[in-house]
Amino acid sequence: MRMATPAPSPSWRRASLWMYAIAVIYAAISLVPFLWSIYTSVKPTSEVFQLFVPWRTLTLSSYTSILENFPFGRWFLNSAIVAFIVTVGNLVVNTFAGYAFARLRFPGRGFLFYVFLGVMMIPGQVVLVPIYMLLAHLGWIDTYVGLTVPFLLSSTMVFLSRQFFLGIPKELEEAARIDGIGYFGMFFRIMLPLARPLLAAQTILTFQGNWNSFLWPLLIGQTTDMYTLPVGLNSFYGQYNAYWNSVMAGMVMLTLPMMVVFIIFQRQFIQGVSQAGLKG
Amino acid sequence: MSVANSAAERVTGRGRRIRWNVVEQALAGYLFILPAIVELVVFLLGPIIYSFVISFKHFSYLDPLDSHFVGFLNYVHLFEDPVFLRALWNTTVYALVVVPVQTAIAMMLAVIVNRIRGKTIFRVIYYLPSITSTVGVAVIFSFLFQPNGLLNRLLWILFHIQGPDYFNSPIFAFPAIMAVAVWTTAGQFMVIYLAALQEIPEELYEAAAIDGAQGFAMLRYITIPSLRRTTFLVVVLGMIGAFQVFDLVYVISSASSLPQQYTMTVVLDLFEKGFRTMQMGYASAMGFVLFAIILILTLIQQLWLGREDA
């Protein structure tokens, strides 16, 4: 059967039913684990393995009990503080560098840029041991400084920022120059307002990455008070994994804030990922 | 690309009279780049060099005074160390299974979602696992994969199959971890595919339709070939991620009663050697083996994409 126009043919409609079926099944695969965890978190301890429990026995007691008995509030705050500082720091450091690489001429620019490109390939785990030793030497283990300062640079984001600033038309810059604007004015008053999509994507990816980061905070946060949420949840899970409702309550506290942010800003998240992915 | 760019800059620079003072501009450039350079040198290049040096040393926090050069001994020991070899084997299997599966799922979902209504809502749902902390994911699946957890209950209700105790079973633990990994990242790569699908010109499909192509022929001869670049990128990014797997295996295997060898990976081994048994030099050597693997993967990517561009 030949059809030059894309009008829906019977075979096409069958195909699209299949498509909906697959799409819905995979949506269930993506969602059910979360929904089941949330459901488990409101079940009474004795009934966590019951498939369905009477509606009236559902309770928030696992939330109140872990908040009373464990520093989940503190961990939450630590995660928020660390992710905030690292995000703001990254915005400044990466965007500054991206602007300089794209728009300013200075000796060694090409060489430095290749250094940054090279660094993008190096996995963070290579420097696990030496950074730990450096932080220990500086007395930064178990401090907010240690949790944030080493992570203020992302070479991938420097690269993306440079790409972005390269795309801004010359004429705009020249017009501003005629008006007698300086380098910093150029950056803050001309470039940054234009770079809003770049900043949004960067904010989101950096914040998410840090909110979820585990390996480094595991090493650097050593007393319970300096744990971030993932580290705290891991330690809590290790000790109390019989209390699945409480473990799931902790999981919800870790996951839900990020999900809410994601649902509000999903367009920016997805743009950020596809940009970062395509530029790689 | 950057050569063409600076050439264009030079031309416009000469063409117009308004120019910034060269020295002042260079100073501003250095000022803007300074924070990044400080971070780079102090927390990356310095540590890399240090790490490289101690990878040739016997160096342990347990006896810091007894540190001496051993040449390539750490590297030689690595490839005689059954734990590391097991970790390398597991990680390779992990990469070779997880990456193709997640790429195939990502591509399939992107093609489907691109075609149907409700694109946004599906995209959001599929992406949710990717924004979730891996520790959260590990905890969720530790519960779902309990012997009497949701998965096994469903298997029993639907097929009358008694499922295993996944994370405590020598046969099922690692495959279960791989399944979770696919679940976590497929949505992220789907988003990249979806963006690439928008770039395929509509005319290609129209031309193919005139030639009588339909459904699967379109997919086979137009969509999949047009996505080749993206596929390559997704595979390389996936491989790099796979070789760095840590959070998932760490959380799952520390709660498991299984001997560690079954779920040992390169970064987990590095972590254990560096911070449990305090063999810093040995752990650094391991880091550089990992680096070499990732470098090779990245170079393959660069070579391939470079050839495609030419």
Side-chain angles (χ1 to χ4, degrees):
Chain A
M1 183 173 50
R2 289 190 177 206
M3 289 210 126
T5 50
S9 65
S11 81
W12 185 242
R13 208 172 297 147
R14 252 199 318 276
S16 77
L17 256 181
W18 263 105
M19 287 178 176
Y20 276 106
I22 295 174
V24 168
I25 289 170
Y26 201 84
I29 294 175
S30 294
L31 271 183
V32 166
F34 293 114
L35 299 177
W36 197 251
S37 307
I38 297 171
Y39 184 41
T40 305
S41 74
V42 292
K43 286 177 187 173
T45 309
S46 55
E47 290 173 42
V48 285
F49 284 112
Q50 298 298 318
L51 279 194
F52 298 103
V53 301
W55 160 251
R56 262 187 300 163
T57 60
L58 295 184
T59 163
L60 287 175
S61 65
S62 56
Y63 288 88
T64 50
S65 93
I66 65 171
L67 283 174
E68 273 165 27
N69 297 308
F70 297 89
F72 266 88
R74 168 86 193 219
W75 297 341
F76 190 97
L77 201 68
N78 286 348
S79 274
I81 291 171
V82 169
F84 177 78
I85 296 176
V86 173
T87 304
V88 172
N90 263 283
L91 281 178
V92 173
V93 173
N94 302 334
T95 318
F96 271 19
Y99 170 68
F101 278 133
R103 287 299 191 180
L104 297 170
R105 326 211 69 226
F106 51 90
R109 179 176 77 160
F111 169 75
L112 285 174
F113 186 65
Y114 280 111
V115 173
F116 272 87
L117 282 184
V119 165
M120 279 171 62
M121 283 185 233
I122 296 167
Q125 293 86 354
V126 173
V127 290
L128 213 57
V129 168
I131 292 198
Y132 184 84
M133 291 166 70
L134 176 66
L135 295 193
H137 188 74
L138 293 169
W140 285 3
I141 303 292
D142 214 33
T143 65
Y144 287 115
V145 183
L147 282 167
T148 53
V149 171
F151 311 108
L152 301 183
L153 171 74
S154 150
S155 11
T156 314
M157 288 299 171
V158 170
F159 185 69
L160 281 182
S161 307
R162 175 180 169 270
Q163 293 293 97
F164 184 89
F165 289 122
L166 278 177
I168 291 176
K170 277 245 122 50
E171 290 73 27
L172 202 70
E173 206 175 9
E174 276 158 8
R177 273 190 225 172
I178 295 169
D179 292 344
I181 204 164
Y183 305 98
F184 288 86
M186 180 72 80
F187 178 75
F188 285 104
R189 284 162 54 196
I190 312 287
M191 295 293 174
L192 270 195
L194 290 171
R196 209 167 284 168
L198 168 79
L199 300 180
Q202 214 186 133
T203 303
I204 273 163
L205 292 178
T206 314
F207 193 89
Q208 181 206 338
N210 276 281
W211 182 265
N212 293 339
S213 142
F214 178 61
L215 177 51
W216 282 107
L218 178 71
L219 283 174
I220 296 165
Q222 297 197 325
T223 55
T224 324
D225 270 352
M226 288 307 289
Y227 286 178
T228 58
L229 261 181
V231 180
L233 180 63
N234 175 60
S235 78
F236 176 75
Y237 170 62
Q239 299 164 54
Y240 292 87
N241 60 17
Y243 298 91
W244 281 109
N245 51 350
S246 302
V247 172
M248 290 307 156
M251 193 288 298
V252 171
M253 281 187 240
L254 165 64
T255 308
L256 212 58
M258 210 56 238
M259 290 208 166
V260 171
V261 175
F262 170 62
I263 287 164
I264 298 171
F265 295 105
Q266 52 94 11
R267 193 180 299 271
Q268 287 83 349
F269 264 87
I270 281 164
Q271 262 168 14
V273 172
S274 38
Q275 256 170 28
L278 290 176
K279 302 275 164 54
Chain B
M1 177 185 64
S2 77
V3 176
N5 237 316
S6 55
E9 263 167 51
R10 235 173 286 134
V11 171
T12 45
R14 219 180 291 135
R16 316 247 170 165
R17 298 262 68 180
I18 320 112
R19 290 186 69 177
W20 272 340
N21 180 304
V22 175
V23 177
E24 238 178 85
Q25 185 172 175
L27 276 179
Y30 289 130
L31 267 180
F32 272 109
I33 217 160
L34 187 68
I37 297 291
V38 170
E39 279 281 320
L40 186 80
V41 170
V42 176
F43 296 110
L44 220 50
L45 288 183
I48 286 167
I49 293 164
Y50 186 77
S51 189
F52 192 64
V53 170
I54 63 171
S55 78
F56 294 101
K57 274 183 164 184
H58 169 82
F59 187 94
S60 168
Y61 250 22
L62 296 177
D63 52 347
L65 293 180
D66 177 33
S67 133
H68 52 267
F69 272 95
V70 293
F72 284 95
L73 216 57
N74 284 331
Y75 291 91
V76 173
H77 280 173
L78 269 181
F79 290 95
E80 292 167 346
D81 178 349
V83 180
F84 179 73
L85 291 178
R86 183 66 196 239
L88 199 58
W89 168 251
N90 283 349
T91 315
T92 309
V93 170
Y94 176 96
L96 291 180
V97 174
V98 168
V99 174
V101 173
Q102 80 193 4
T103 307
I105 292 179
M107 190 198 276
M108 180 189 76
L109 291 177
V111 167
I112 288 176
V113 166
N114 198 35
R115 268 280 156 81
I116 62 181
R117 279 159 185 269
K119 194 194 279 189
T120 310
I121 184 78
F122 282 116
R123 200 173 60 168
V124 167
I125 292 174
Y126 297 160
Y127 195 69
L128 276 180
S130 310
I131 60 150
T132 309
S133 159
T134 321
V135 177
V137 171
V139 166
I140 292 174
F141 279 91
S142 297
F143 181 61
L144 290 180
F145 286 176
Q146 287 290 303
N148 51 350
L150 183 64
L151 179 63
N152 281 351
R153 297 292 282 277
L154 288 178
L155 285 177
W156 181 253
I157 291 167
L158 295 175
F159 310 108
H160 270 260
I161 296 170
Q162 181 52 56
D165 180 358
Y166 296 89
F167 289 146
N168 289 308
S169 144
I171 303 166
F172 286 98
F174 208 59
I177 289 176
M178 292 193 252
V180 177
V182 170
W183 181 83
T184 316
T185 36
Q188 190 181 337
F189 290 132
M190 189 221 66
V191 163
I192 297 179
Y193 268 123
L194 211 51
L197 280 175
Q198 321 287 321
E199 311 261 297
I200 303 178
E202 198 54 44
E203 295 81 53
L204 275 182
Y205 290 106
E206 283 163 14
I210 290 166
D211 290 343
Q214 270 191 321
F216 279 102
M218 294 269 201
L219 196 64
R220 167 81 182 74
Y221 294 107
I222 301 197
T223 313
I224 294 177
S226 308
L227 291 175
R228 203 173 43 185
R229 253 180 95 86
T230 310
T231 301
F232 201 79
L233 179 84
V234 162
V235 167
V236 174
L237 287 179
M239 286 276 177
I240 292 174
F243 270 96
Q244 298 183 57
V245 60
F246 173 79
D247 303 8
L248 205 55
V249 281
Y250 179 86
V251 178
I252 288 170
S253 63
S254 57
S256 161
S257 61
L258 210 59
Q260 250 187 341
Q261 69 195 49
Y262 291 103
T263 51
M264 184 56 84
T265 67
V266 174
V267 180
L268 186 57
D269 194 17
L270 193 160
F271 181 85
E272 301 268 320
K273 295 284 159 52
F275 299 98
R276 289 272 162 76
T277 57
M278 300 288 177
Q279 299 163 273
M280 284 21 196
Y282 196 56
S284 292
M286 214 178 278
F288 277 95
V289 172
L290 180 70
F291 176 39
I293 294 170
I294 287 173
L295 185 68
I296 291 167
L297 291 171
T298 315
L299 288 178
I300 293 173
Q301 178 204 1
Q302 297 296 332
L303 282 178
W304 179 286
L305 291 183
R307 210 178 58 197
E308 289 258 296
D309 280 339

PDB file of all heavy atoms in Angstrom, chain B residues 241-265:
ATOM      1  N   GLY B 241      30.917   6.514  31.773  1.00  0.00           N
ATOM      2  CA  GLY B 241      30.151   6.430  33.009  1.00  0.00           C
ATOM      3  C   GLY B 241      30.219   5.033  33.615  1.00  0.00           C
ATOM      4  O   GLY B 241      30.387   4.868  34.822  1.00  0.00           O
ATOM      5  N   ALA B 242      30.117   4.022  32.754  1.00  0.00           N
ATOM      6  CA  ALA B 242      30.088   2.642  33.244  1.00  0.00           C
ATOM      7  C   ALA B 242      31.405   2.288  33.932  1.00  0.00           C
ATOM      8  O   ALA B 242      31.413   1.629  34.971  1.00  0.00           O
ATOM      9  CB  ALA B 242      29.807   1.687  32.090  1.00  0.00           C
ATOM     10  N   PHE B 243      32.509   2.745  33.373  1.00  0.00           N
ATOM     11  CA  PHE B 243      33.791   2.402  33.988  1.00  0.00           C
ATOM     12  C   PHE B 243      33.997   3.110  35.325  1.00  0.00           C
ATOM     13  O   PHE B 243      34.871   2.743  36.091  1.00  0.00           O
ATOM     14  CB  PHE B 243      34.948   2.677  33.022  1.00  0.00           C
ATOM     15  CG  PHE B 243      35.244   1.476  32.173  1.00  0.00           C
ATOM     16  CD1 PHE B 243      34.701   1.357  30.909  1.00  0.00           C
ATOM     17  CD2 PHE B 243      36.014   0.437  32.668  1.00  0.00           C
ATOM     18  CE1 PHE B 243      34.928   0.228  30.136  1.00  0.00           C
ATOM     19  CE2 PHE B 243      36.250  -0.695  31.912  1.00  0.00           C
ATOM     20  CZ  PHE B 243      35.704  -0.795  30.646  1.00  0.00           C
ATOM     21  N   GLN B 244      33.181   4.135  35.584  1.00  0.00           N
ATOM     22  CA  GLN B 244      33.334   4.852  36.850  1.00  0.00           C
ATOM     23  C   GLN B 244      32.286   4.450  37.873  1.00  0.00           C
ATOM     24  O   GLN B 244      32.142   5.105  38.897  1.00  0.00           O
ATOM     25  CB  GLN B 244      33.246   6.355  36.591  1.00  0.00           C
ATOM     26  CG  GLN B 244      34.346   6.842  35.677  1.00  0.00           C
ATOM     27  CD  GLN B 244      34.297   8.342  35.491  1.00  0.00           C
ATOM     28  OE1 GLN B 244      34.350   9.099  36.436  1.00  0.00           O
ATOM     29  NE2 GLN B 244      34.194   8.782  34.256  1.00  0.00           N
ATOM     30  N   VAL B 245      31.548   3.381  37.598  1.00  0.00           N
ATOM     31  CA  VAL B 245      30.445   3.029  38.496  1.00  0.00           C
ATOM     32  C   VAL B 245      30.967   2.816  39.919  1.00  0.00           C
ATOM     33  O   VAL B 245      31.965   2.137  40.149  1.00  0.00           O
ATOM     34  CB  VAL B 245      29.690   1.781  37.998  1.00  0.00           C
ATOM     35  CG1 VAL B 245      30.587   0.575  37.904  1.00  0.00           C
ATOM     36  CG2 VAL B 245      28.507   1.489  38.893  1.00  0.00           C
ATOM     37  N   PHE B 246      30.292   3.478  40.877  1.00  0.00           N
ATOM     38  CA  PHE B 246      30.697   3.329  42.266  1.00  0.00           C
ATOM     39  C   PHE B 246      29.494   3.329  43.228  1.00  0.00           C
ATOM     40  O   PHE B 246      29.267   2.344  43.925  1.00  0.00           O
ATOM     41  CB  PHE B 246      31.677   4.434  42.674  1.00  0.00           C
ATOM     42  CG  PHE B 246      31.995   4.421  44.144  1.00  0.00           C
ATOM     43  CD1 PHE B 246      32.897   3.508  44.659  1.00  0.00           C
ATOM     44  CD2 PHE B 246      31.361   5.291  45.031  1.00  0.00           C
ATOM     45  CE1 PHE B 246      33.175   3.463  46.021  1.00  0.00           C
ATOM     46  CE2 PHE B 246      31.632   5.252  46.397  1.00  0.00           C
ATOM     47  CZ  PHE B 246      32.550   4.336  46.880  1.00  0.00           C
ATOM     48  N   ASP B 247      28.750   4.440  43.244  1.00  0.00           N
ATOM     49  CA  ASP B 247      27.698   4.634  44.245  1.00  0.00           C
ATOM     50  C   ASP B 247      26.790   3.413  44.377  1.00  0.00           C
ATOM     51  O   ASP B 247      26.538   2.923  45.474  1.00  0.00           O
ATOM     52  CB  ASP B 247      26.817   5.852  43.891  1.00  0.00           C
ATOM     53  CG  ASP B 247      27.616   7.126  43.756  1.00  0.00           C
ATOM     54  OD1 ASP B 247      28.862   7.059  43.791  1.00  0.00           O
ATOM     55  OD2 ASP B 247      27.001   8.189  43.599  1.00  0.00           O
ATOM     56  N   LEU B 248      26.317   2.958  43.230  1.00  0.00           N
ATOM     57  CA  LEU B 248      25.358   1.861  43.212  1.00  0.00           C
ATOM     58  C   LEU B 248      25.949   0.607  43.850  1.00  0.00           C
ATOM     59  O   LEU B 248      25.362   0.016  44.755  1.00  0.00           O
ATOM     60  CB  LEU B 248      24.976   1.599  41.747  1.00  0.00           C
ATOM     61  CG  LEU B 248      23.637   0.966  41.440  1.00  0.00           C
ATOM     62  CD1 LEU B 248      22.510   1.754  42.057  1.00  0.00           C
ATOM     63  CD2 LEU B 248      23.440   0.890  39.927  1.00  0.00           C
ATOM     64  N   VAL B 249      27.131   0.200  43.382  1.00  0.00           N
ATOM     65  CA  VAL B 249      27.723  -1.027  43.926  1.00  0.00           C
ATOM     66  C   VAL B 249      28.128  -0.843  45.383  1.00  0.00           C
ATOM     67  O   VAL B 249      28.025  -1.773  46.173  1.00  0.00           O
ATOM     68  CB  VAL B 249      28.940  -1.511  43.103  1.00  0.00           C
ATOM     69  CG1 VAL B 249      28.476  -2.226  41.857  1.00  0.00           C
ATOM     70  CG2 VAL B 249      29.891  -0.412  42.780  1.00  0.00           C
ATOM     71  N   TYR B 250      28.550   0.353  45.737  1.00  0.00           N
ATOM     72  CA  TYR B 250      28.974   0.582  47.121  1.00  0.00           C
ATOM     73  C   TYR B 250      27.797   0.393  48.074  1.00  0.00           C
ATOM     74  O   TYR B 250      27.888  -0.357  49.043  1.00  0.00           O
ATOM     75  CB  TYR B 250      29.569   1.979  47.270  1.00  0.00           C
ATOM     76  CG  TYR B 250      30.012   2.292  48.688  1.00  0.00           C
ATOM     77  CD1 TYR B 250      31.279   1.930  49.127  1.00  0.00           C
ATOM     78  CD2 TYR B 250      29.166   2.938  49.577  1.00  0.00           C
ATOM     79  CE1 TYR B 250      31.693   2.204  50.418  1.00  0.00           C
ATOM     80  CE2 TYR B 250      29.566   3.213  50.869  1.00  0.00           C
ATOM     81  CZ  TYR B 250      30.828   2.852  51.282  1.00  0.00           C
ATOM     82  OH  TYR B 250      31.227   3.131  52.568  1.00  0.00           O
ATOM     83  N   VAL B 251      26.709   1.088  47.796  1.00  0.00           N
ATOM     84  CA  VAL B 251      25.563   1.027  48.713  1.00  0.00           C
ATOM     85  C   VAL B 251      24.973  -0.380  48.732  1.00  0.00           C
ATOM     86  O   VAL B 251      24.702  -0.941  49.795  1.00  0.00           O
ATOM     87  CB  VAL B 251      24.484   2.063  48.317  1.00  0.00           C
ATOM     88  CG1 VAL B 251      23.283   1.950  49.237  1.00  0.00           C
ATOM     89  CG2 VAL B 251      25.052   3.463  48.363  1.00  0.00           C
ATOM     90  N   ILE B 252      24.807  -0.964  47.546  1.00  0.00           N
ATOM     91  CA  ILE B 252      24.172  -2.274  47.486  1.00  0.00           C
ATOM     92  C   ILE B 252      25.063  -3.342  48.103  1.00  0.00           C
ATOM     93  O   ILE B 252      24.620  -4.154  48.906  1.00  0.00           O
ATOM     94  CB  ILE B 252      23.795  -2.627  46.036  1.00  0.00           C
ATOM     95  CG1 ILE B 252      22.605  -1.760  45.612  1.00  0.00           C
ATOM     96  CG2 ILE B 252      23.437  -4.104  45.909  1.00  0.00           C
ATOM     97  CD1 ILE B 252      22.282  -1.834  44.143  1.00  0.00           C
ATOM     98  N   SER B 253      26.358  -3.324  47.770  1.00  0.00           N
ATOM     99  CA  SER B 253      27.183  -4.419  48.251  1.00  0.00           C
ATOM    100  C   SER B 253      27.539  -4.268  49.727  1.00  0.00           C
ATOM    101  O   SER B 253      27.819  -5.246  50.393  1.00  0.00           O
ATOM    102  CB  SER B 253      28.436  -4.589  47.390  1.00  0.00           C
ATOM    103  OG  SER B 253      29.238  -3.447  47.481  1.00  0.00           O
ATOM    104  N   SER B 254      27.494  -3.027  50.281  1.00  0.00           N
ATOM    105  CA  SER B 254      27.803  -2.939  51.706  1.00  0.00           C
ATOM    106  C   SER B 254      26.622  -3.421  52.546  1.00  0.00           C
ATOM    107  O   SER B 254      26.798  -3.739  53.719  1.00  0.00           O
ATOM    108  CB  SER B 254      28.244  -1.525  52.101  1.00  0.00           C
ATOM    109  OG  SER B 254      27.276  -0.591  51.765  1.00  0.00           O
ATOM    110  N   ALA B 255      25.425  -3.498  51.945  1.00  0.00           N
ATOM    111  CA  ALA B 255      24.295  -4.040  52.698  1.00  0.00           C
ATOM    112  C   ALA B 255      24.084  -5.522  52.397  1.00  0.00           C
ATOM    113  O   ALA B 255      23.225  -6.156  52.974  1.00  0.00           O
ATOM    114  CB  ALA B 255      23.027  -3.262  52.360  1.00  0.00           C
ATOM    115  N   SER B 256      24.895  -6.064  51.477  1.00  0.00           N
ATOM    116  CA  SER B 256      24.700  -7.450  51.061  1.00  0.00           C
ATOM    117  C   SER B 256      25.599  -8.379  51.863  1.00  0.00           C
ATOM    118  O   SER B 256      26.667  -7.993  52.323  1.00  0.00           O
ATOM    119  CB  SER B 256      25.018  -7.567  49.564  1.00  0.00           C
ATOM    120  OG  SER B 256      25.271  -8.904  49.211  1.00  0.00           O
ATOM    121  N   SER B 257      25.152  -9.618  52.018  1.00  0.00           N
ATOM    122  CA  SER B 257      25.959 -10.597  52.742  1.00  0.00           C
ATOM    123  C   SER B 257      26.919 -11.316  51.791  1.00  0.00           C
ATOM    124  O   SER B 257      27.701 -12.155  52.191  1.00  0.00           O
ATOM    125  CB  SER B 257      25.047 -11.620  53.410  1.00  0.00           C
ATOM    126  OG  SER B 257      24.304 -12.294  52.422  1.00  0.00           O
ATOM    127  N   LEU B 258      26.840 -10.958  50.520  1.00  0.00           N
ATOM    128  CA  LEU B 258      27.635 -11.633  49.495  1.00  0.00           C
ATOM    129  C   LEU B 258      29.116 -11.255  49.608  1.00  0.00           C
ATOM    130  O   LEU B 258      29.432 -10.106  49.873  1.00  0.00           O
ATOM    131  CB  LEU B 258      27.107 -11.155  48.141  1.00  0.00           C
ATOM    132  CG  LEU B 258      27.180 -12.085  46.949  1.00  0.00           C
ATOM    133  CD1 LEU B 258      26.417 -13.359  47.215  1.00  0.00           C
ATOM    134  CD2 LEU B 258      26.604 -11.370  45.742  1.00  0.00           C
ATOM    135  N   PRO B 259      30.037 -12.224  49.397  1.00  0.00           N
ATOM    136  CA  PRO B 259      31.457 -11.839  49.333  1.00  0.00           C
ATOM    137  C   PRO B 259      31.644 -10.787  48.247  1.00  0.00           C
ATOM    138  O   PRO B 259      31.007 -10.852  47.196  1.00  0.00           O
ATOM    139  CB  PRO B 259      32.167 -13.140  48.949  1.00  0.00           C
ATOM    140  CG  PRO B 259      31.210 -14.221  49.270  1.00  0.00           C
ATOM    141  CD  PRO B 259      29.831 -13.650  49.169  1.00  0.00           C
ATOM    142  N   GLN B 260      32.519  -9.812  48.535  1.00  0.00           N
ATOM    143  CA  GLN B 260      32.602  -8.630  47.682  1.00  0.00           C
ATOM    144  C   GLN B 260      32.980  -8.904  46.231  1.00  0.00           C
ATOM    145  O   GLN B 260      32.643  -8.134  45.351  1.00  0.00           O
ATOM    146  CB  GLN B 260      33.601  -7.659  48.283  1.00  0.00           C
ATOM    147  CG  GLN B 260      32.926  -6.427  48.830  1.00  0.00           C
ATOM    148  CD  GLN B 260      33.943  -5.411  49.257  1.00  0.00           C
ATOM    149  OE1 GLN B 260      35.106  -5.726  49.481  1.00  0.00           O
ATOM    150  NE2 GLN B 260      33.521  -4.178  49.357  1.00  0.00           N
ATOM    151  N   GLN B 261      33.702  -9.997  46.001  1.00  0.00           N
ATOM    152  CA  GLN B 261      34.191 -10.254  44.647  1.00  0.00           C
ATOM    153  C   GLN B 261      33.067 -10.235  43.600  1.00  0.00           C
ATOM    154  O   GLN B 261      33.293  -9.857  42.458  1.00  0.00           O
ATOM    155  CB  GLN B 261      34.890 -11.605  44.600  1.00  0.00           C
ATOM    156  CG  GLN B 261      33.915 -12.762  44.776  1.00  0.00           C
ATOM    157  CD  GLN B 261      34.609 -14.067  45.092  1.00  0.00           C
ATOM    158  OE1 GLN B 261      35.450 -14.133  45.975  1.00  0.00           O
ATOM    159  NE2 GLN B 261      34.247 -15.092  44.359  1.00  0.00           N
ATOM    160  N   TYR B 262      31.869 -10.620  44.023  1.00  0.00           N
ATOM    161  CA  TYR B 262      30.780 -10.727  43.048  1.00  0.00           C
ATOM    162  C   TYR B 262      30.358  -9.381  42.502  1.00  0.00           C
ATOM    163  O   TYR B 262      29.833  -9.296  41.409  1.00  0.00           O
ATOM    164  CB  TYR B 262      29.579 -11.436  43.677  1.00  0.00           C
ATOM    165  CG  TYR B 262      29.853 -12.884  43.941  1.00  0.00           C
ATOM    166  CD1 TYR B 262      30.123 -13.337  45.227  1.00  0.00           C
ATOM    167  CD2 TYR B 262      29.864 -13.809  42.890  1.00  0.00           C
ATOM    168  CE1 TYR B 262      30.394 -14.657  45.475  1.00  0.00           C
ATOM    169  CE2 TYR B 262      30.139 -15.136  43.132  1.00  0.00           C
ATOM    170  CZ  TYR B 262      30.411 -15.568  44.423  1.00  0.00           C
ATOM    171  OH  TYR B 262      30.689 -16.870  44.648  1.00  0.00           O
ATOM    172  N   THR B 263      30.533  -8.337  43.299  1.00  0.00           N
ATOM    173  CA  THR B 263      30.082  -7.026  42.849  1.00  0.00           C
ATOM    174  C   THR B 263      31.234  -6.011  42.830  1.00  0.00           C
ATOM    175  O   THR B 263      31.001  -4.814  42.752  1.00  0.00           O
ATOM    176  CB  THR B 263      28.963  -6.487  43.761  1.00  0.00           C
ATOM    177  OG1 THR B 263      29.406  -6.589  45.113  1.00  0.00           O
ATOM    178  CG2 THR B 263      27.693  -7.284  43.598  1.00  0.00           C
ATOM    179  N   MET B 264      32.478  -6.510  42.872  1.00  0.00           N
ATOM    180  CA  MET B 264      33.625  -5.602  42.903  1.00  0.00           C
ATOM    181  C   MET B 264      33.780  -4.886  41.556  1.00  0.00           C
ATOM    182  O   MET B 264      33.697  -5.502  40.506  1.00  0.00           O
ATOM    183  CB  MET B 264      34.886  -6.412  43.219  1.00  0.00           C
ATOM    184  CG  MET B 264      36.145  -5.591  43.367  1.00  0.00           C
ATOM    185  SD  MET B 264      35.993  -4.298  44.606  1.00  0.00           S
ATOM    186  CE  MET B 264      36.370  -5.204  46.096  1.00  0.00           C
ATOM    187  N   THR B 265      33.977  -3.561  41.608  1.00  0.00           N
ATOM    188  CA  THR B 265      34.281  -2.818  40.379  1.00  0.00           C
ATOM    189  C   THR B 265      35.575  -2.031  40.591  1.00  0.00           C
ATOM    190  O   THR B 265      36.070  -1.952  41.713  1.00  0.00           O
ATOM    191  CB  THR B 265      33.162  -1.818  40.014  1.00  0.00           C
ATOM    192  OG1 THR B 265      33.130  -0.798  41.007  1.00  0.00           O
ATOM    193  CG2 THR B 265      31.812  -2.502  39.924  1.00  0.00           C
TER     194      THR B 265
END
